[in-house]
Amino acid sequence: MSTTGIAKDMYILSLPNGGKSDVIERWFGRHVEAPMAPVFKKLWGCEILTASEISSIFSFVAIQKVRVPAQREAQRGHVKNVLRATDKDVPNLFLQSLVRLAPQIAEQLIELNVCLQIAPLGYSYITSDNPFVVMREREDRWFPEPLPEFSRVNILSQKGAKGFMPLTPKVCLFAEGKGRYRGYTDDNVPNVNSINRWVAFQSQRFLYAAGERDLRQVVWVLDH
């Protein structure tokens, strides 16, 4: 069996008595992954979602924002430079911040202008080990936010900021400004390509695509 994309014991909590606990992993299963299983089925068919299912998506996206290796690496620097702690403290601090920040991010998403974009026929979204991209607008160009910080995350607090995360090869969550959930909307080819480039640019370890053509295309763009 391949172990590509697997980080062993990434969500195992170290206890004061020297033992280990999988309470965080079990919490993921009950409160995030299990509720998303029927939602993913609906997303594949672009079916109408209930308010509860939309809330499940927001929780899932929030977890994906803070559970990734990039978050842990960012905290490693924070632990050393700010908290004056050691590398051994990183895993537990990472898990503590994950539980603390994820609900805050989900609450922020509820207040945003959110839609589910559908890729055009023949095109699809890619994803990666760090799939939630937040873009900031500068005078000269759009650019991704820096690595996630240990402190409270205000996802799209800056004027003009936008965020997106592919949920399936055909559906991508898009959020910006203040507003509400607007349902499904058709995406266009240039935007799909742009989203894929930024998802690939932000990735640190792995890229995942529905087909080899999608992956080759985005890798070619990054190389040129």
Side-chain angles (χ1 to χ4, degrees), residues 119-134:
L121 184 65
Y123 290 83
S124 61
Y125 303 102
I126 69 168
T127 190
S128 74
D129 58 280
N130 193 15
F132 189 0
V133 180
V134 177

Side-chain angles (χ1 to χ4, degrees), residues 188-214:
N188 57 69
V189 173
N191 199 54
V192 171
N193 291 336
S194 178
I195 286 173
N196 286 346
R197 286 196 296 270
W198 284 115
V199 169
F201 176 81
Q202 183 169 280
S203 68
Q204 293 188 317
R205 302 183 183 186
F206 309 106
L207 292 175
Y208 306 92
E212 185 176 347
R213 187 207 67 172
D214 299 317

